[in-house]
Amino acid sequence: MAGDVRLGGGQLVNLPRGRELLGFGGVGLLAYAVDLALFTWLRGPAGLEPLTAKTISFVAGGSVAYVGNAFGTYRATRPRGLRPYAVFFAVNAAGALVQLLCLTISHYGLGFTSQRADTVSGAGIGMAIATVLRFWGTRTLVFHNEGRVGSWTG
């Protein structure tokens, strides 16, 4: 199988595949675009309050990400039912909290209060750390493969 490597003792190890990373990243970009476009529309022409608009756009973007990963990136290991969908949203909510934590530390803890600093800490550094968390959580907790041995995700 592509991505599988035999170690000296014959142990089969499944390494993260480039296709998996590209699929996850591509789906993530699409989900981000849906989230951003819907949030912008809900805040602007629709006139919703910020938290209501963000909640709706987050659920829509997360749904796009789940469907894209379930039927694309992880179609071979896709579990059935509502549980994986709920776990996927929990993983994504944890990623969102990481982004908010980075923004909070930068803005309130370190005193970097400019719009640029907020963007760098929340959408830059926070997004990078959250993406690693989301990849790990999605791969390990939602679309895990029971037969995988020695994977970097355990």
Side-chain angles (χ1 to χ4, degrees):
M1 209 187 266
D4 289 345
V5 175
R6 290 223 181 256
L7 298 178
Q11 180 184 15
L12 188 63
V13 178
N14 185 302
L15 301 176
R17 298 178 182 143
R19 219 181 316 173
E20 179 183 8
L21 291 171
L22 287 174
F24 183 83
V27 167
L29 285 174
L30 178 61
Y32 176 75
V34 167
D35 185 339
L36 181 61
L38 186 57
F39 177 75
T40 302
W41 181 79
L42 291 171
R43 281 291 293 136
L48 294 181
E49 295 296 317
L51 293 179
T52 303
K54 187 59 190 168
T55 300
I56 293 169
S57 70
F58 174 76
V59 170
S63 296
V64 167
Y66 181 80
V67 169
N69 280 307
F71 292 97
T73 308
Y74 297 103
R75 67 186 164 275
T77 60
R78 182 171 56 94
R80 306 291 191 261
L82 290 178
R83 183 189 174 283
Y85 185 69
V87 174
F88 185 82
F89 266 92
V91 167
N92 279 280
L97 288 175
V98 165
Q99 287 179 262
L100 289 174
L101 181 62
C102 287
L103 179 59
T104 300
I105 290 170
S106 172
H107 191 93
Y108 298 105
L110 300 175
F112 298 125
T113 59
S114 71
Q115 184 175 356
R116 179 180 291 175
D118 287 348
T119 301
V120 167
S121 63
I125 296 167
M127 178 64 87
I129 296 169
T131 298
V132 171
L133 173 69
R134 286 178 176 125
F135 179 73
W136 173 84
T138 298
R139 186 173 207 264
T140 306
L141 303 174
V142 182
F143 301 113
H144 60 283
N145 182 351
E146 298 297 332
R148 190 172 21 209
V149 177
S151 169
W152 67 275
T153 59

